[in-house]
Amino acid sequence: MIKLGEPRTLGLPAPEARLHFDTECDYFSGEQVATWGIDQFWGLPEYPHTPYYRTFETAVDADAHLYEFVVPMVPPTWNERERVEEYAALMGRGTVPTAVAISTLDVCQPSLGLGDDPSVHWGLTHFLLDGHHKLEAAATAGRPVRILSLLALGESLAGAEDSARLPAIRTQPRSARATST
């Protein structure tokens, strides 16, 4: 059970959702490896054990980058196909649906220097409570979806100053992290 403490509500701009899992765009085999390196015991990238949507990323500053994820509470294969198609059709006509999530913001950086990119990673992770069909439809159709997010401040690995900066950072243009690798 997550104790909310003092949650902050974020009405986030509507990002495009892309489902990633074992793909070349996977954070855990890309940016995470560039920063933290390969797991020293297994000799493999970290494995998230779940499909997730990668929705947004942008620079925080010269040494930090925000990565945003949406983690469904059930696998997309459990979604009803007809419902997903219905939302995709609505999105095709300009509807931007809203999903609801409880979220954490983790701000982390490597301490051992095992990777090639020592940048600070801001991980904004939304654990989807409602909107599973909407997110899959958005990912399939390449359309945006709005996320009503309750940010659990007490459960995040970020300070109050970081959380306060998040709404402004989230309005910046999308940009990928440039690395030396």
Side-chain angles (χ1 to χ4, degrees), residues 128-150:
L128 195 59
L129 301 175
D130 183 55
H132 291 79
H133 295 89
K134 297 170 186 176
L135 257 291
E136 184 180 350
T140 302
R143 304 295 298 186
V145 64
R146 187 175 298 108
I147 300 172
L148 175 60
S149 169
L150 302 172

Side-chain angles (χ1 to χ4, degrees), residues 96-117:
V96 179
T98 301
V100 179
I102 187 162
S103 307
T104 59
L105 174 64
D106 296 335
V107 177
C108 303
Q109 73 182 91
S111 60
L112 298 177
L114 299 175
D116 296 326
D117 178 20

